[in-house]
Amino acid sequence: MDTAFKDVPPTTLADLLGREQVMDIGIRPLWDAPRIAGPAYTVRCVPGDNLMLHAAIHRAEPGSVIVVESGDLDYALAGGNVCAVAQRRGVAGFVLDGLIRDLGEVREAGFPVFARGVIPIPGTKAKGGALGEPARVGGVLIQPGDIVVADEEGVVVTPAARQEEILAAARAKLAKEATESLDAWEENHRARIDKALRELGYDG
């Protein structure tokens, strides 16, 4: 089911799920990556250390989106080789509350990374953290297996328990929008705006 979410834009999911399931604007694609969608493999790293992410690339199931809580803007969580190994193992992409390095290599390999930016110095690999436990990334609390959808519009997280409900609602919303012409949308939109203005006491 989670692969079906690849056909659903984050904008549609955001309309259905609300602000608390949408990551903040600092988590963005680091290159012109395609949309990714998959179950979250959750990681928590100690600031300045990336050991748990490096462990995760050997443990995450193919199709997973590795999501990392780190809160670190001083050291890179991953570089070109880590991304290449994750890609080789079938990981759909990284969503990192932190930084990477070797962006040119990552872009050339075509591995999707959504993160806060780039820095050339790597962190240590010496401290514990957590794998497969709840993680807060971009302001969103993510449980293992929640569905992560990310593209240039942003990153939205669908709780695993609601994935069937949200997918059905998203498909219905997209189908309805596909049948509506711009003229019809404009007419309905103007009526809504005019009504809101009248209720606020604006004329004309």
Side-chain angles (χ1 to χ4, degrees), residues 24-49:
D24 71 55
I25 63 169
I27 311 292
R28 62 192 189 279
L30 295 189
W31 60 276
D32 189 20
R35 181 181 302 149
I36 60 172
Y41 186 91
T42 52
V43 180
R44 295 201 309 268
C45 288
V46 174
D49 192 279

Side-chain angles (χ1 to χ4, degrees), residues 179-198:
T179 64
E180 185 178 45
S181 69
L182 180 58
D183 288 342
W185 184 91
E186 182 182 10
E187 183 179 341
N188 291 332
H189 179 258
R190 180 161 186 175
R192 277 201 317 276
I193 298 304
D194 287 347
K195 178 175 182 288
L197 289 172
R198 282 195 305 273

Side-chain angles (χ1 to χ4, degrees), residues 73-170:
L73 296 179
D74 291 312
Y75 297 92
L77 284 163
N81 285 344
V82 169
C83 291
V85 171
Q87 185 177 39
R88 178 186 289 178
R89 294 184 56 80
V91 171
F94 287 169
V95 175
L96 312 175
D97 205 327
L99 311 172
I100 70 160
R101 68 180 198 160
D102 304 327
L103 179 58
E105 292 178 31
V106 175
R107 183 194 301 115
E108 187 175 341
F111 184 67
V113 176
F114 298 76
R116 293 200 182 272
V118 179
I119 199 166
I121 185 168
T124 61
K125 296 167 186 61
K127 297 178 181 177
L131 298 173
E133 295 182 10
R136 187 170 291 279
V137 180
V140 178
L141 183 63
I142 305 171
Q143 304 290 336
D146 285 354
I147 307 302
V148 180
V149 178
D151 69 12
E152 64 187 6
E153 297 289 346
V155 187
V156 183
V157 181
T158 300
R162 298 186 65 194
Q163 63 176 312
E164 291 186 19
E165 165 211 342
I166 295 299
L167 184 59

